[in-house]
Amino acid sequence: MLLKKIQLKTIDYKFGLTICFLLFFNSFISAQEIIPDVVVAEKPVEAPSGQKQKIDGIIATVGDYIVLDSDIDKGYLEITSQGGSTKDITRCQMLGKLLEDKLYAHQAIQDSIIVSDAEVRGMMEERLNYMMQQVGDINKVVAYYKKNSVEEFKTYFADILKEQKLASEMQKKIIDAVEITPEEVRNFFKKIPKDELPTFGAEMEVAQIVVEPKVSKEDEQKVIDRLNGIRKDVLDGSSFATKAVLYSQDPGSSSSGGFYKMTRKTPFVKEFKDVAFSLAEGEISEPFKTNFGYHIIMVDKIKGQEVELRHILIAPTVSEDALKEAKERIINIRKKIESKEISFADAARTESDEKETRANGGTLVNPNTQDTRFELTKMDPTLYSQVSNLKDAEISQPLLNTDEKGKKTYKLITVTNRIEEHTADYAKDYTKIKELALKEKQINAIAKWFDEKIKDTYIKIIGEYRDCTFTNNWLKK
């Protein structure tokens, strides 16, 4: 039936994304140019299935890329090293996924998708930091990859990262181009037989009021002075990237030297984008403020509507006195709500310091669905622990919250609506149904893209792998 077909397609798609994710962070598979077919002495190793397989030799060519037999074995090793199971993944399936990655990367080049050296360097720093956290020493990483020096490994790994980035950008380009209309969502829902309608789990809607401790002018000025000092050092010749690694408090970019690539549509706060797009190449901003703290930005490159930049974030320290004042303020807000002087929603609109939820009466938006509903089984564990024991209309005690950047706030939480587990309803669950419909359309778009590009691309598979049954028509039968 229709829904079962959707689920089966989704499994294949999730399989692909899972493998891609695993290979993206610690891939062993190298990007190589086409080379003539060669005969390589077989050296058998034990594969997960118990069959003897070669560990070297070209088994496939896709455009400008090749796949080695050993790449499949390395793929298995990588999945198991991440705690995954390879029990149900055949060598043919693994090869199919590698062929997809190669075709994505090859076509990305044909479509003039650019991956800059700065991006690769940023990714390299991030991956190396991750690897060294696992093994403790860069030389162990080099030995693991069987390279003779750190520089040889970096050259080799840069090619891997560039290919992976090309592949992910190509896939993103295909998916981002897919849009869905309300009529398509309606037709998708109508095609699902009533006895196969999905069941959605229990959900709730949550609102909060946030009070931020006030930072003193003196503490803010200390941060501004510190950033001005860093800015002067960079203007005098110091490395901005090194300064970002040493001093930036942004966990998302500090390890990569503060690097970000963005367009005007990239979801950054307005103040950050305004400064980023006002700078010329090589220019460094004055310190400026966002709700995360104070920043300085240096623009590396401007390519049309895209900007490559580095930034440093430092947040002022919150004093104990400021924390105490914030707690007293939120206690008073709670008392007013409890005494019915003001509703929770009105208190959020007039008293909350959180811009994102204030206008909506404190209502939270689920970041995964962009809906106001949170499914209990998928809710963030911290949020769930804060609301799971609240009764209807009950307000939590003041909660001290520390975010990933170390910023401390006090908040009150209440559950504004509860939705019990139920069979999908078009009117009530439109957002979820739209997501399912869009996912099916994206899967179909990717399948169509592969059909078209396989026909137009030089592809060769040799040896026993020509007997594989692939999802895509790699053998062009």
Side-chain angles (χ1 to χ4, degrees):
M1 301 301 285
L2 178 65
L3 189 59
K4 291 180 180 178
K5 289 179 182 177
I6 294 169
Q7 290 171 337
L8 287 173
K9 288 180 181 177
T10 304
I11 289 171
D12 289 340
Y13 185 57
K14 287 181 177 177
F15 166 79
L17 291 180
T18 300
I19 303 301
C20 187
F21 174 80
L22 292 171
L23 297 180
F24 183 78
F25 279 92
N26 279 322
S27 177
F28 296 82
I29 299 165
S30 59
Q32 303 178 50
E33 298 299 320
I34 296 177
I35 58 176
D37 290 350
V38 294
V39 177
V40 181
E42 295 187 7
K43 182 180 179 182
V45 297
E46 197 71 19
S49 62
Q51 298 175 338
K52 299 291 183 178
Q53 300 289 344
K54 294 181 292 183
I55 65 166
D56 211 346
I58 297 171
I59 58 172
T61 302
V62 180
D64 294 333
Y65 295 96
I66 64 170
V67 181
L68 302 178
D69 197 27
S70 56
D71 290 339
I72 295 178
D73 296 303
K74 292 169 184 176
Y76 279 120
L77 286 173
E78 188 56 29
I79 293 172
T80 55
S81 73
Q82 295 287 335
S85 172
T86 61
K87 180 181 177 182
D88 298 321
I89 303 175
T90 67
R91 294 184 73 83
C92 288
Q93 285 177 318
M94 184 70 75
L95 174 58
K97 182 61 186 71
L98 297 177
L99 293 173
E100 289 179 9
D101 291 341
K102 303 300 182 186
L103 184 56
Y104 277 136
H106 170 77
Q107 191 60 43
I109 294 174
Q110 309 310 307
D111 288 3
S112 301
I113 293 176
I114 303 297
V115 175
S116 69
D117 291 341
E119 279 183 276
V120 174
R121 286 195 299 270
M123 293 164 63
M124 176 80 74
E125 290 180 26
E126 183 181 340
R127 305 301 183 272
L128 288 180
N129 286 338
Y130 173 82
M131 290 177 184
M132 287 187 284
Q133 286 174 6
Q134 304 304 307
V135 301
D137 183 359
I138 184 62
N139 291 316
K140 291 182 180 178
V141 175
V142 173
Y144 187 68
Y145 279 82
K146 297 181 180 180
K147 299 302 174 183
N148 295 320
S149 66
V150 173
E151 287 307 312
E152 182 184 348
F153 166 74
K154 285 186 175 181
T155 300
Y156 156 83
F157 202 52
D159 288 339
I160 295 175
L161 294 175
K162 186 168 186 176
E163 180 190 330
Q164 291 169 354
K165 185 64 174 174
L166 284 168
S168 66
E169 289 294 319
M170 188 67 246
Q171 187 182 61
K172 182 176 182 295
K173 180 179 178 180
I174 300 166
I175 291 174
D176 287 351
V178 179
E179 297 180 343
I180 195 160
T181 66
E183 186 63 24
E184 287 176 310
V185 178
R186 187 188 305 278
N187 290 335
F188 169 84
F189 186 74
K190 285 181 177 179
K191 290 178 184 177
I192 304 175
K194 287 186 178 181
D195 61 347
E196 292 187 16
L197 287 170
T199 298
F200 295 131
E203 299 171 304
M204 61 173 59
E205 292 179 314
V206 181
Q208 67 182 24
I209 296 171
V210 178
V211 171
E212 297 180 2
K214 303 301 179 185
V215 178
S216 68
K217 294 294 184 182
E218 292 79 7
D219 288 333
E220 287 191 337
Q221 191 58 49
K222 287 178 183 178
V223 171
I224 293 171
D225 292 342
R226 188 177 178 195
L227 285 171
N228 276 324
I230 293 172
R231 182 176 186 274
K232 182 178 183 302
D233 289 344
V234 174
L235 290 172
D236 289 341
S238 296
S239 166
F240 193 103
T242 300
K243 295 286 188 181
V245 170
L246 292 174
Y247 303 117
S248 182
Q249 296 172 358
D250 177 13
S253 69
S254 59
S255 63
S256 60
F259 180 82
Y260 280 121
K261 181 171 72 171
M262 60 186 292
T263 67
R264 291 190 180 276
K265 293 183 179 180
T266 307
F268 279 72
V269 294
K270 182 179 183 299
E271 299 90 340
F272 192 95
K273 287 199 285 189
D274 287 346
V275 174
F277 286 99
S278 70
L279 300 173
E281 283 191 5
E283 188 176 0
I284 305 174
S285 73
E286 301 286 343
F288 66 96
K289 185 178 181 180
T290 71
N291 59 332
F292 296 105
Y294 284 87
H295 312 251
I296 54 173
I297 291 176
M298 183 180 74
V299 170
D300 280 346
K301 283 186 181 180
I302 299 174
K303 298 187 294 185
Q305 299 299 311
E306 189 175 79
V307 173
E308 293 180 4
L309 58 82
R310 296 183 185 275
H311 91 119
I312 295 172
L313 165 68
I314 301 178
T317 303
V318 175
S319 68
E320 288 300 320
D321 287 342
L323 275 173
K324 185 178 178 181
E325 289 176 8
K327 185 175 182 180
E328 290 174 354
R329 182 182 160 202
I330 206 163
I331 288 172
N332 288 331
I333 294 171
R334 187 176 188 276
K335 286 179 179 178
K336 289 181 181 180
I337 300 171
E338 289 283 301
S339 66
K340 310 298 183 184
E341 290 182 42
I342 190 171
S343 68
F344 192 99
D346 286 340
R349 293 186 185 97
T350 58
E351 301 287 349
S352 182
D353 292 327
E354 188 173 62
K355 295 179 181 178
E356 293 81 5
T357 60
R358 188 167 57 202
N360 296 324
T363 301
L364 290 175
V365 174
N366 188 331
N368 298 319
T369 64
Q370 300 305 308
D371 191 7
T372 57
R373 295 182 181 183
F374 290 82
E375 190 170 343
L376 269 58
T377 57
K378 299 177 182 178
M379 187 179 282
D380 175 80
T382 301
L383 180 60
Y384 180 78
S385 67
Q386 293 170 343
V387 301
S388 58
N389 295 322
L390 290 178
K391 300 175 183 177
D392 290 344
E394 183 181 1
I395 304 168
S396 71
Q397 293 295 324
L399 301 167
L400 178 60
N401 183 67
T402 304
D403 67 14
E404 68 276 5
K405 296 181 176 64
K407 182 179 179 180
K408 294 182 178 181
T409 56
Y410 275 100
K411 64 182 180 179
L412 301 174
I413 295 181
T414 189
V415 177
T416 58
N417 189 22
R418 298 179 193 273
I419 301 98
E420 300 303 324
E421 182 178 297
H422 62 284
T423 301
D425 179 278
Y426 182 78
K428 295 179 181 178
D429 302 302
Y430 178 80
T431 301
K432 289 186 177 64
I433 294 165
K434 179 182 177 182
E435 183 181 346
L436 290 173
L438 179 60
K439 184 175 291 186
E440 183 193 46
K441 192 172 180 182
Q442 289 171 338
I443 291 169
N444 291 337
I446 288 174
K448 181 181 179 182
W449 183 89
F450 274 115
D451 286 343
E452 293 173 352
K453 299 307 176 185
I454 286 173
K455 292 176 184 176
D456 298 335
T457 305
Y458 174 77
I459 297 170
K460 183 178 181 181
I461 298 172
I462 65 175
E464 67 269 29
Y465 292 102
R466 293 190 60 81
D467 296 328
C468 287
T469 300
F470 296 110
T471 302
N472 295 308
N473 187 27
W474 297 111
L475 297 171
K476 301 188 179 183
K477 292 181 179 179

